[in-house]
mmCIF file with all atom_site columns, all heavy atoms in Angstrom:
data_model
loop_
_atom_site.group_PDB
_atom_site.id
_atom_site.type_symbol
_atom_site.label_atom_id
_atom_site.label_alt_id
_atom_site.label_comp_id
_atom_site.label_asym_id
_atom_site.label_entity_id
_atom_site.label_seq_id
_atom_site.pdbx_PDB_ins_code
_atom_site.Cartn_x
_atom_site.Cartn_y
_atom_site.Cartn_z
_atom_site.occupancy
_atom_site.B_iso_or_equiv
_atom_site.pdbx_formal_charge
_atom_site.auth_seq_id
_atom_site.auth_comp_id
_atom_site.auth_asym_id
_atom_site.auth_atom_id
_atom_site.pdbx_PDB_model_num
ATOM 1  N N   . LEU A 1 84 ? 65.733 175.764 -111.953 1.00 96.00 ? 621 LEU A N   1
ATOM 2  C CA  . LEU A 1 84 ? 65.851 177.173 -112.331 1.00 96.00 ? 621 LEU A CA  1
ATOM 3  C C   . LEU A 1 84 ? 67.250 177.712 -112.049 1.00 96.00 ? 621 LEU A C   1
ATOM 4  O O   . LEU A 1 84 ? 67.713 178.642 -112.707 1.00 96.00 ? 621 LEU A O   1
ATOM 5  C CB  . LEU A 1 84 ? 64.808 177.996 -111.576 1.00 96.00 ? 621 LEU A CB  1
ATOM 6  C CG  . LEU A 1 84 ? 64.697 179.477 -111.909 1.00 96.00 ? 621 LEU A CG  1
ATOM 7  C CD1 . LEU A 1 84 ? 64.353 179.688 -113.381 1.00 96.00 ? 621 LEU A CD1 1
ATOM 8  C CD2 . LEU A 1 84 ? 63.642 180.147 -111.028 1.00 96.00 ? 621 LEU A CD2 1
ATOM 9  N N   . SER A 1 85 ? 67.929 177.121 -111.074 1.00 95.00 ? 622 SER A N   1
ATOM 10 C CA  . SER A 1 85 ? 69.230 177.624 -110.632 1.00 95.00 ? 622 SER A CA  1
ATOM 11 C C   . SER A 1 85 ? 70.382 176.995 -111.411 1.00 95.00 ? 622 SER A C   1
ATOM 12 O O   . SER A 1 85 ? 70.589 175.778 -111.380 1.00 95.00 ? 622 SER A O   1
ATOM 13 C CB  . SER A 1 85 ? 69.406 177.345 -109.141 1.00 95.00 ? 622 SER A CB  1
ATOM 14 O OG  . SER A 1 85 ? 70.742 177.529 -108.743 1.00 95.00 ? 622 SER A OG  1
ATOM 15 N N   . ALA A 1 86 ? 71.187 177.829 -112.065 1.00 96.00 ? 623 ALA A N   1
ATOM 16 C CA  . ALA A 1 86 ? 72.363 177.331 -112.785 1.00 96.00 ? 623 ALA A CA  1
ATOM 17 C C   . ALA A 1 86 ? 73.381 176.736 -111.821 1.00 96.00 ? 623 ALA A C   1
ATOM 18 O O   . ALA A 1 86 ? 74.043 175.737 -112.133 1.00 96.00 ? 623 ALA A O   1
ATOM 19 C CB  . ALA A 1 86 ? 72.995 178.471 -113.584 1.00 96.00 ? 623 ALA A CB  1
ATOM 20 N N   . LYS A 1 87 ? 73.514 177.327 -110.632 1.00 95.00 ? 624 LYS A N   1
ATOM 21 C CA  . LYS A 1 87 ? 74.475 176.824 -109.643 1.00 95.00 ? 624 LYS A CA  1
ATOM 22 C C   . LYS A 1 87 ? 74.088 175.428 -109.173 1.00 95.00 ? 624 LYS A C   1
ATOM 23 O O   . LYS A 1 87 ? 74.936 174.540 -109.021 1.00 95.00 ? 624 LYS A O   1
ATOM 24 C CB  . LYS A 1 87 ? 74.550 177.789 -108.464 1.00 95.00 ? 624 LYS A CB  1
ATOM 25 C CG  . LYS A 1 87 ? 75.632 177.445 -107.446 1.00 95.00 ? 624 LYS A CG  1
ATOM 26 C CD  . LYS A 1 87 ? 75.734 178.502 -106.360 1.00 95.00 ? 624 LYS A CD  1
ATOM 27 C CE  . LYS A 1 87 ? 76.330 179.775 -106.890 1.00 95.00 ? 624 LYS A CE  1
ATOM 28 N NZ  . LYS A 1 87 ? 76.622 180.751 -105.787 1.00 95.00 ? 624 LYS A NZ  1
ATOM 29 N N   . VAL A 1 88 ? 72.792 175.211 -108.959 1.00 96.00 ? 625 VAL A N   1
ATOM 30 C CA  . VAL A 1 88 ? 72.303 173.893 -108.549 1.00 96.00 ? 625 VAL A CA  1
ATOM 31 C C   . VAL A 1 88 ? 72.541 172.873 -109.661 1.00 96.00 ? 625 VAL A C   1
ATOM 32 O O   . VAL A 1 88 ? 72.928 171.724 -109.399 1.00 96.00 ? 625 VAL A O   1
ATOM 33 C CB  . VAL A 1 88 ? 70.808 173.986 -108.192 1.00 96.00 ? 625 VAL A CB  1
ATOM 34 C CG1 . VAL A 1 88 ? 70.152 172.620 -108.210 1.00 96.00 ? 625 VAL A CG1 1
ATOM 35 C CG2 . VAL A 1 88 ? 70.629 174.628 -106.822 1.00 96.00 ? 625 VAL A CG2 1
ATOM 36 N N   . LEU A 1 89 ? 72.308 173.262 -110.901 1.00 97.00 ? 626 LEU A N   1
ATOM 37 C CA  . LEU A 1 89 ? 72.525 172.349 -112.025 1.00 97.00 ? 626 LEU A CA  1
ATOM 38 C C   . LEU A 1 89 ? 73.995 171.953 -112.142 1.00 97.00 ? 626 LEU A C   1
ATOM 39 O O   . LEU A 1 89 ? 74.310 170.795 -112.445 1.00 97.00 ? 626 LEU A O   1
ATOM 40 C CB  . LEU A 1 89 ? 72.035 172.987 -113.323 1.00 97.00 ? 626 LEU A CB  1
ATOM 41 C CG  . LEU A 1 89 ? 70.516 173.123 -113.453 1.00 97.00 ? 626 LEU A CG  1
ATOM 42 C CD1 . LEU A 1 89 ? 70.158 173.982 -114.660 1.00 97.00 ? 626 LEU A CD1 1
ATOM 43 C CD2 . LEU A 1 89 ? 69.861 171.759 -113.569 1.00 97.00 ? 626 LEU A CD2 1
ATOM 44 N N   . ASP A 1 90 ? 74.893 172.886 -111.877 1.00 96.00 ? 627 ASP A N   1
ATOM 45 C CA  . ASP A 1 90 ? 76.325 172.549 -111.891 1.00 96.00 ? 627 ASP A CA  1
ATOM 46 C C   . ASP A 1 90 ? 76.628 171.493 -110.827 1.00 96.00 ? 627 ASP A C   1
ATOM 47 O O   . ASP A 1 90 ? 77.410 170.559 -111.066 1.00 96.00 ? 627 ASP A O   1
ATOM 48 C CB  . ASP A 1 90 ? 77.172 173.797 -111.641 1.00 96.00 ? 627 ASP A CB  1
ATOM 49 C CG  . ASP A 1 90 ? 77.200 174.737 -112.838 1.00 96.00 ? 627 ASP A CG  1
ATOM 50 O OD1 . ASP A 1 90 ? 76.859 174.294 -113.955 1.00 96.00 ? 627 ASP A OD1 1
ATOM 51 O OD2 . ASP A 1 90 ? 77.561 175.918 -112.651 1.00 96.00 ? 627 ASP A OD2 1
ATOM 52 N N   . GLU A 1 91 ? 76.014 171.647 -109.665 1.00 96.00 ? 628 GLU A N   1
ATOM 53 C CA  . GLU A 1 91 ? 76.210 170.673 -108.590 1.00 96.00 ? 628 GLU A CA  1
ATOM 54 C C   . GLU A 1 91 ? 75.677 169.304 -108.998 1.00 96.00 ? 628 GLU A C   1
ATOM 55 O O   . GLU A 1 91 ? 76.332 168.271 -108.775 1.00 96.00 ? 628 GLU A O   1
ATOM 56 C CB  . GLU A 1 91 ? 75.503 171.160 -107.318 1.00 96.00 ? 628 GLU A CB  1
ATOM 57 C CG  . GLU A 1 91 ? 75.613 170.236 -106.125 1.00 96.00 ? 628 GLU A CG  1
ATOM 58 C CD  . GLU A 1 91 ? 77.003 170.208 -105.507 1.00 96.00 ? 628 GLU A CD  1
ATOM 59 O OE1 . GLU A 1 91 ? 77.803 171.124 -105.799 1.00 96.00 ? 628 GLU A OE1 1
ATOM 60 O OE2 . GLU A 1 91 ? 77.277 169.270 -104.732 1.00 96.00 ? 628 GLU A OE2 1
ATOM 61 N N   . ALA A 1 92 ? 74.485 169.273 -109.590 1.00 97.00 ? 629 ALA A N   1
ATOM 62 C CA  . ALA A 1 92 ? 73.890 168.001 -110.015 1.00 97.00 ? 629 ALA A CA  1
ATOM 63 C C   . ALA A 1 92 ? 74.752 167.317 -111.068 1.00 97.00 ? 629 ALA A C   1
ATOM 64 O O   . ALA A 1 92 ? 74.979 166.100 -111.013 1.00 97.00 ? 629 ALA A O   1
ATOM 65 C CB  . ALA A 1 92 ? 72.480 168.245 -110.543 1.00 97.00 ? 629 ALA A CB  1
ATOM 66 N N   . ARG A 1 93 ? 75.226 168.082 -112.033 1.00 97.00 ? 630 ARG A N   1
ATOM 67 C CA  . ARG A 1 93 ? 76.080 167.501 -113.086 1.00 97.00 ? 630 ARG A CA  1
ATOM 68 C C   . ARG A 1 93 ? 77.360 166.910 -112.489 1.00 97.00 ? 630 ARG A C   1
ATOM 69 O O   . ARG A 1 93 ? 77.824 165.846 -112.905 1.00 97.00 ? 630 ARG A O   1
ATOM 70 C CB  . ARG A 1 93 ? 76.433 168.568 -114.120 1.00 97.00 ? 630 ARG A CB  1
ATOM 71 C CG  . ARG A 1 93 ? 75.280 169.008 -115.006 1.00 97.00 ? 630 ARG A CG  1
ATOM 72 C CD  . ARG A 1 93 ? 75.756 169.931 -116.108 1.00 97.00 ? 630 ARG A CD  1
ATOM 73 N NE  . ARG A 1 93 ? 74.649 170.448 -116.901 1.00 97.00 ? 630 ARG A NE  1
ATOM 74 C CZ  . ARG A 1 93 ? 74.118 171.666 -116.734 1.00 97.00 ? 630 ARG A CZ  1
ATOM 75 N NH1 . ARG A 1 93 ? 74.612 172.488 -115.810 1.00 97.00 ? 630 ARG A NH1 1
ATOM 76 N NH2 . ARG A 1 93 ? 73.100 172.057 -117.477 1.00 97.00 ? 630 ARG A NH2 1
#
Side-chain angles (χ1 to χ4, degrees):
L621 185 60
S622 166
K624 186 175 289 188
V625 161
L626 290 170
D627 287 342
E628 179 72 16
R630 289 187 185 100

